[in-house]
Amino acid sequence: MRKCCRLGLNGRKLSPRVIILAPKGMGGVESLLKRFIIGLVKDGIDVNVIRIECSNLLRRFLQDLAYLQHLKEFDVIICFGSILPLSALISKIAKNELRTLLFIHGYLYEELLFASRYSSSFRERIGARMLYYYDRSLRSFRLINLIDYFLCHSITTCEYAQIPLDKSVIVKQFIFKEELGFFKDFQNLKERGIIVSYTSYAYSPKLLSPHHLIEILAKVARYIDGDLRLIVVDPRIK
């Protein structure tokens, strides 16, 4: 693996200039992004973040392309959202030494196909279909091979997305030491605690079902001797 670094005065190594490209998100992906940034900062890495927040797909692409000139200043691009932004692709073609990483979240193709067929919004159905064909085109023309590394939470996710093992980097779920106090507070609950979770558009035997979530929560409630309420959002249920 070729390491990316810069040299400062007296030949001292400087940390790489890192930029994160992330679409507007929610839930687990948004939580992961915030904690991922905190982790990099804790390691002494100067991180810049660009949020692509337009919900309209055309405006989203235009906003993405507006950052092209800015991306040239960095050594590493980390893309969240499972789909490589067009600006990152063009930047990589123009500057091959630019390290490009893509974070894969969940089962991308099933989620996009399901959303393109069954979403209640016509705009969302069209947008999901366009994103699906965009990503498939990157693979068909082997442009996806320009990505240096793919980040996944599990080997299963990388395998399901057909990512080569030598380009897969497993980033397991993690917590910081200062967060331990938050989890200990569950043992002192005086009122009912509420936990919100959600399922995926994709069908997979390796994804926890609401039934399994209820069983896990029941064990947690017994362990902390508290009263917990579970809310599960299933996007497949209208």
Side-chain angles (χ1 to χ4, degrees):
M1 173 181 175
R2 178 183 170 188
K3 294 184 178 179
C4 179
C5 66
R6 296 179 294 140
L7 297 179
L9 295 176
N10 301 321
R12 294 178 59 188
K13 288 185 178 180
L14 302 177
S15 64
R17 295 165 295 189
V18 177
I19 188 165
I20 292 177
L21 289 178
K24 182 179 180 181
M26 59 184 296
V29 175
E30 185 69 15
S31 175
L32 168 66
L33 172 63
K34 292 178 180 178
R35 297 169 77 250
F36 195 83
I37 294 171
I38 293 173
L40 291 177
V41 172
K42 282 178 174 290
D43 283 340
I45 298 176
D46 184 22
V47 184
N48 291 263
V49 183
I50 289 179
R51 302 304 303 268
I52 305 172
E53 299 186 349
C54 292
S55 57
N56 180 283
L57 192 61
L58 178 59
R59 291 179 181 176
R60 180 175 169 179
F61 272 110
L62 292 176
Q63 183 185 13
D64 176 31
L65 291 175
Y67 296 119
L68 261 175
Q69 192 67 26
H70 188 55
L71 296 182
K72 296 179 181 179
E73 305 171 8
F74 296 90
D75 305 303
V76 181
I77 298 179
I78 304 176
C79 306
F80 277 66
S82 300
I83 297 177
L84 185 68
L86 192 57
S87 60
L89 173 64
I90 296 174
S91 297
K92 178 64 176 179
I93 294 175
K95 183 181 176 183
N96 187 56
E97 63 271 21
L98 176 68
R99 288 297 177 226
T100 306
L101 290 73
L102 176 63
F103 217 121
I104 303 292
H105 312 279
Y107 299 81
L108 174 65
Y109 300 129
E110 284 73 11
E111 292 176 356
L112 286 177
L113 285 175
F114 198 98
S116 69
R117 294 169 183 168
Y118 303 111
S119 175
S120 58
S121 167
F122 176 75
R123 178 180 295 179
E124 287 182 2
R125 292 200 300 271
I126 295 299
R129 180 66 65 169
M130 292 179 67
L131 287 174
Y132 173 83
Y133 283 126
Y134 167 72
D135 191 79
R136 297 308 295 179
S137 298
L138 293 181
R139 292 178 178 271
S140 297
F141 292 101
R142 298 185 179 181
L143 294 173
I144 203 76
N145 295 338
L146 293 173
I147 298 176
D148 295 286
Y149 294 101
F150 296 83
L151 310 180
C152 305
H153 273 319
S154 66
I155 295 177
T156 300
T157 304
C158 278
E159 288 179 343
Y160 202 84
Q162 300 178 347
I163 305 302
L165 188 60
D166 61 337
K167 284 195 170 188
S168 302
V169 177
I170 307 303
V171 181
K172 295 183 178 181
Q173 300 282 3
F174 59 92
I175 62 173
F176 300 114
K177 289 182 179 179
E178 57 268 26
E179 293 179 304
L180 293 176
F182 169 78
F183 294 103
K184 289 179 180 177
D185 288 342
F186 272 100
Q187 295 181 338
N188 302 318
L189 281 176
K190 301 241 172 141
E191 299 178 355
R192 172 183 286 187
I194 299 177
I195 297 177
V196 180
S197 183
Y198 57 90
T199 59
S200 171
Y201 276 118
Y203 289 94
S204 170
K206 295 190 176 183
L207 289 177
L208 290 178
S209 66
H211 172 72
H212 290 117
L213 292 175
I214 292 172
E215 288 185 342
I216 293 173
L217 188 63
K219 293 179 180 179
V220 173
R222 286 196 299 269
Y223 176 76
I224 67 173
D225 192 24
D227 187 13
L228 298 178
R229 178 187 179 194
L230 174 65
I231 299 176
V232 180
V233 179
D234 189 339
R236 296 168 297 193
I237 298 177
K238 302 299 182 183

